[in-house]
Amino acid sequence: PPSASLGLRRVMSEPDTNTYFGTNTSPQASNSTKSSIKSYPSPSTSADPIRSSYSVQKEDAKVGPDSFIKLRLLGRGNVGRVYLVKQKETDKLYALKVLSKKEMINRNKIKRAMAEQAILSTANHPFIVPLYHSFQSNDHLYLCLEFCVGGEFFRALQQRPGRVLEEHEARFYAAEVVAALEYLHLMGIVFRDLKPENILLHESGHLMLSDFDLSIQAPAAGPPTMVKPSSPFFQQPMLDTRSCTNLRTNSFVGTEEYLAPEVIRGNGHSSTVDWWTLGILLYEMLFSFTPFKGATRNDTFELILKRNVEFPDLTSNPYRTSPGISSQCKACIRKLLNKNDKKRLGARAGASEVKSHAFFKPVNFALLRHMRPPIVPSKSNAVDAVHFKALKESVSLDLEDSRSQSGNEEAGPVTDSQSDPFEYFNS
């Protein structure tokens, strides 16, 4: 993952990018282009305005491993690590995800890395982590991403009193996730691994989805359609973002406590799995634990398949300033956690249906990005990475000695095969 793991638990309408960013280009770069960060003032009247998430402009550039200075290790996983690095030319900080080709081949994870690079190189949304460069050396793949000072959202939740959020705070972050999922679904992408560990906190306090290696993209995203509302209280037609992800897959992927019933049954799943995981995330933000966790993996699966969601009594919780969870909030969670994926909230019209639920009525989705988030990371020196768990490297990576597969350098073979499985990785 792109940030440190605590080891405590788990092994809209389409955005007007001209308005958001002043350009319609993607926040990614290849060996010949790069994107630079430029901030725009927030309309907040606060004496301490929050910097906007990011905007994108393209410039000519050529980067490789030796373009960066490694500062510290931020996180590590089975096939790679994430480093805080500084670009020599600009002194800007980035999160550099370094993936081992050998480990990816051994663990059969080549397609996942290629899928993540393909999705991030085309995504352009304020609540999705931007990819600025991607390149490779003989032994590694590199993804140069936005450095989110606030670290993992999971870690931020763990540091809150009682490890919980108030309902209005949870609604704010759930709304940002809905906006990001809406954008992904419009692009024909199903995220499939939503959880606090895969959400990063930008320095502004806004969320950014990360880790797209389990995501799947439809070969061709279909056009959105209009759906008549099922409720007599909402007469306006809804934009059906579900129709864009015209795929169904039987892959058994996701995180144990967040898996949807249809994934466990192996009956095939679609974009509605993202709305199930949103329900689990919302529940965890409010109660500090997931609703179906069992003593063992099989127990967890059994509870997901058979038990109805239950809400604990919060009247005696010393960390709560409000008396309890509203009926609208409970109703939203119940509908998101409907075990029948065809009746789940979002199954009929996607994000538009979720946004129209009474729980999100106080939210102005168009202005989310300009609102002050409940959690704003401390303004300590970003290089210190205080919101990341301190990790030590067992085997150090030397960026200076990493030879790039570009120019006239001759790349060594990564497999016995004549074809290079990473040939099309460079963006």
Side-chain angles (χ1 to χ4, degrees), residues 226-239 348 356:
M226 301 304 293
V227 175
K228 291 183 179 180
S230 58
S231 170
F233 302 104
F234 299 99
Q235 299 300 324
Q236 199 171 19
M238 295 184 292
L239 186 72
R348 187 167 182 268
S356 67

Side-chain angles (χ1 to χ4, degrees), residues 184-189 217-224 243-246:
L184 291 173
H185 290 180
L186 281 167
M187 293 181 66
I189 298 168
Q217 186 166 17
S243 63
C244 300
T245 52
N246 52 353

Side-chain angles (χ1 to χ4, degrees), residues 98-113:
V98 184
L99 305 172
S100 166
K101 291 182 178 180
K102 180 180 178 180
E103 287 299 322
M104 280 189 288
I105 293 171
N106 291 340
R107 296 173 182 268
N108 196 27
K109 290 188 175 182
I110 298 173
K111 289 184 178 180
R112 290 188 181 184

Side-chain angles (χ1 to χ4, degrees), residues 256-286:
E256 182 178 309
E257 297 169 49
Y258 276 72
L259 284 178
E262 61 268 27
V263 176
I264 297 173
R265 294 190 187 104
N267 297 333
H269 60 270
S270 64
S271 60
T272 52
V273 298
D274 285 342
W275 303 125
W276 172 276
T277 55
L278 174 66
I280 302 289
L281 175 66
L282 181 55
Y283 189 100
E284 185 171 4
M285 287 191 288
L286 292 167

Side-chain angles (χ1 to χ4, degrees), residues 64-104:
D66 59 355
S67 301
F68 303 91
I69 300 172
K70 185 180 68 174
L71 300 179
R72 64 176 66 242
L73 178 66
L74 296 177
R76 55 186 167 217
N78 293 330
V79 299
R81 302 177 182 187
V82 179
Y83 295 92
L84 174 61
V85 298
K86 180 170 67 174
Q87 189 173 14
K88 295 176 182 177
E89 182 182 350
T90 63
D91 282 343
K92 289 180 179 177
L93 298 178
Y94 295 97
L96 188 64
K97 191 172 187 176
V98 184
L99 305 172
S100 166
K101 291 182 178 180
K102 180 180 178 180
E103 287 299 322
M104 280 189 288

Side-chain angles (χ1 to χ4, degrees), residues 269-378:
H269 60 270
S270 64
S271 60
T272 52
V273 298
D274 285 342
W275 303 125
W276 172 276
T277 55
L278 174 66
I280 302 289
L281 175 66
L282 181 55
Y283 189 100
E284 185 171 4
M285 287 191 288
L286 292 167
F287 302 108
S288 79
F289 55 88
T290 55
F292 304 115
K293 181 172 175 56
T296 66
R297 187 183 190 191
N298 287 338
D299 289 341
T300 298
F301 290 170
E302 185 77 8
L303 293 173
I304 290 172
L305 292 173
K306 296 183 178 179
R307 190 172 81 178
N308 292 326
V309 62
E310 298 174 354
F311 299 96
D313 183 11
L314 298 177
T315 53
S316 60
N317 191 321
Y319 301 104
R320 289 282 179 184
T321 58
S322 55
I325 305 302
S326 69
S327 58
Q328 293 89 348
C329 181
K330 291 179 180 179
C332 183
I333 293 175
R334 286 193 183 99
K335 289 186 176 182
L336 288 169
L337 298 183
N338 191 316
K339 300 184 191 301
N340 186 339
D341 60 323
K342 294 179 175 59
K343 296 182 179 180
R344 189 173 301 150
L345 183 63
R348 187 167 182 268
S352 298
E353 184 182 353
V354 177
K355 289 160 66 175
S356 67
H357 191 276
F359 174 64
F360 289 107
K361 187 176 181 180
V363 177
N364 187 332
F365 280 85
L367 297 179
L368 264 179
R369 189 166 162 265
H370 300 296
M371 297 172 63
R372 186 177 182 85
I375 304 173
V376 179
S378 61

